[in-house]
Amino acid sequence: MERQGGQPAAAASAIEGGIRARFAVGYPGFALDVDLQLPARGVTALFGHSGSGKTTCLRCIAGLEQGAQGRIEVNGELWQDSAAGVFVPTHKRSLGYVFQEASLFPHLSVRRNLEYGMRRAGAGKVSWAQAVELLGIGHLLERMPDRLSGGERQRVGVVRALLTSPRLLLMDEPLAALDLRLKREILPYLERLHGELDIPVIYVSHSPDEVARLADHVVLLDQGRVVAQGPLTDTLARLDLPAVFSDDAGAVVEAVVAAHDEHYHLTRLDFTGGSVLVARRPEPLGHRLRFRVNARDVSLAKERLEGSTILNLLPVTVLDVGDADTPAHVLVRVDAQGTPLLARITRRSCEQLGIAAGRPMWAQIKSVALLG
């Protein structure tokens, strides 16, 4: 049995009591029609290309799209039910909203910006000290907004949202306006939110690496519709997604730092199904991290190839073969002893090697992208 977006009924039952949202809203040239089943904790990413409906969906959840018809319930609290005439206005919903750019009062210091929000919201689940420490803004409290960098402004914006007593935190591409250096600066703070707070987060992004680094659950949107939703690692490795996602196809793997090779300046990462070697990492042994393997960086061979510059070779079993973004290529989903991987290869190679479900192969991983 399938639900909208291809989420099995069994998976949906595992997130009962979480966030359940159905919305329909139309504009000239665009219509959003979604049915979401989201977990009660962790980070859910709304992922899709520009114009797919990510921000519109987030605004519906916040109650900012007045024309949206539907229903939303957050951990048992009903915020909207159009059929029953129920609509809780945005300012009465227990949510925090972080926009692409933090709009701070320019005439107030950081401290007074935060105090203003707290006075309006009352006592919250997250204390002042905890929020300030989590985002590392203690040294910024007396500064004026025009003396903050873009990354600092966004961190203040996140703290302000946390101090509004949210039961749900909405983040609309909070890194979109930042350059690469500032993105790298703020991402570790967002990871701390994920690890230390028990507030569900819905995070809008069109960046595969951001999604892979931060999310536990993912919703893929295309042209206003949900095309897939579910746990991150399972969903990104599916083959039945529209070709528009093929270029971003890949697998996210949870690993642990297992060994350091000081002579060759390499680190071994172990995961369910094997291990990979990467450039020397600073993390200590036992540290857990994620890495991403893009489908275009995986090739397949019948036998283990010796004498190659590719260090990372894994025995795998072919699960299935699907279409890629061009007729010349296919996507092959393989199982590395419990870890799903994708390979993007030519259709010619697929036929010449006789690649089919159940066939043992060797996966050659040319590149691994560490997340964090």
Side-chain angles (χ1 to χ4, degrees):
M1 177 179 178
E2 295 283 319
R3 295 178 182 259
Q4 181 192 358
Q7 178 177 308
S13 66
I15 55 177
E16 291 292 337
I19 301 161
R20 305 174 65 87
R22 298 191 308 273
F23 288 109
V25 60
Y27 300 101
F30 176 78
L32 180 80
D33 189 354
V34 297
D35 187 349
L36 307 177
Q37 312 273 334
L38 310 180
R41 62 172 302 165
V43 177
T44 292
L46 299 184
F47 175 66
H49 297 283
S50 296
S52 61
K54 304 182 300 295
T55 295
T56 301
C57 185
L58 204 70
R59 286 174 56 83
C60 287
I61 292 170
L64 295 172
E65 291 289 334
Q66 295 295 324
Q69 297 295 303
R71 189 178 193 280
I72 178 170
E73 184 175 327
V74 178
N75 294 331
E77 183 177 301
L78 184 64
W79 288 357
Q80 181 173 341
D81 187 341
S82 299
V86 175
F87 183 84
V88 177
T90 301
H91 69 277
K92 292 187 177 180
R93 300 187 184 193
S94 302
L95 60 84
Y97 204 124
V98 180
F99 296 89
Q100 290 186 19
E101 295 189 16
S103 298
L104 305 178
F105 291 115
H107 62 291
L108 299 179
S109 67
V110 168
R111 181 188 298 277
R112 292 185 63 196
N113 264 282
L114 298 179
E115 289 174 343
Y116 179 84
M118 285 188 71
R119 283 196 299 271
R120 293 174 59 85
K125 293 173 62 177
V126 182
S127 71
W128 172 283
Q130 183 184 17
V132 167
E133 194 277 329
L134 273 174
L135 275 300
I137 66 164
H139 64 296
L140 304 175
L141 292 176
E142 307 312 322
R143 286 195 195 174
M144 300 301 288
D146 63 356
R147 294 182 54 221
L148 302 176
S149 70
E152 289 169 342
R153 290 173 67 89
Q154 284 300 81
R155 282 154 57 194
V156 172
V158 174
V159 172
R160 181 178 57 187
L162 291 175
L163 294 177
T164 60
S165 319
R167 298 187 66 185
L168 175 63
L169 184 61
L170 306 178
M171 307 185 79
D172 187 7
E173 300 202 64
L175 308 185
L178 305 181
D179 61 28
L180 183 59
R181 180 183 64 82
L182 291 177
K183 286 181 181 180
R184 289 175 175 169
E185 171 192 304
I186 196 172
L187 272 167
Y189 293 102
L190 299 184
E191 286 181 315
R192 290 192 68 187
L193 291 180
H194 171 253
E196 299 185 32
L197 292 184
D198 193 24
I199 298 172
V201 178
I202 301 180
Y203 187 99
V204 166
S205 179
H206 64 268
S207 165
D209 286 342
E210 277 180 42
V211 171
R213 182 166 174 176
L214 296 174
D216 308 292
H217 194 87
V218 64
V219 176
L220 299 182
L221 290 171
D222 186 33
Q223 298 181 11
R225 301 293 189 273
V226 175
V227 295
Q229 59 181 313
L232 174 76
T233 53
D234 295 339
T235 305
L236 293 187
R238 285 173 51 168
L239 293 182
D240 59 339
L241 302 179
V244 69
F245 290 105
S246 271
D247 192 49
D248 297 324
V252 176
V253 181
E254 301 272 358
V256 63
V257 177
H260 296 300
D261 183 333
E262 302 300 343
H263 180 71
Y264 289 109
H265 304 283
L266 297 172
T267 292
R268 193 185 87 226
L269 304 178
D270 287 355
F271 59 95
T272 301
S275 62
V276 296
L277 292 172
V278 299
R280 177 66 162 85
R281 296 289 299 180
E283 294 86 357
L285 299 183
H287 181 84
R288 302 195 66 84
L289 47 70
R290 288 178 176 180
F291 64 86
R292 175 178 167 84
V293 181
N294 291 317
R296 59 181 175 269
D297 292 327
V298 179
S299 61
L300 299 174
K302 289 182 178 180
E303 300 174 351
R304 181 187 178 102
L305 299 181
E306 303 295 343
S308 169
T309 58
I310 297 176
L311 296 178
N312 296 315
L313 307 173
L314 297 172
V316 299
T317 301
V318 176
L319 295 175
D320 44 11
V321 180
D323 293 332
D325 54 336
T326 71
H329 293 87
V330 295
L331 285 174
V332 183
R333 188 164 64 102
V334 300
D335 173 47
Q337 303 177 61
T339 296
L341 297 173
L342 291 179
R344 185 179 186 273
I345 63 173
T346 65
R347 192 176 297 274
R348 181 174 183 270
S349 295
C350 184
E351 292 183 2
Q352 289 190 336
L353 293 175
I355 294 174
R359 174 130 196 196
M361 303 289 291
W362 282 87
Q364 304 172 114
I365 301 175
K366 306 168 193 172
S367 176
V368 172
L370 272 295
L371 304 170

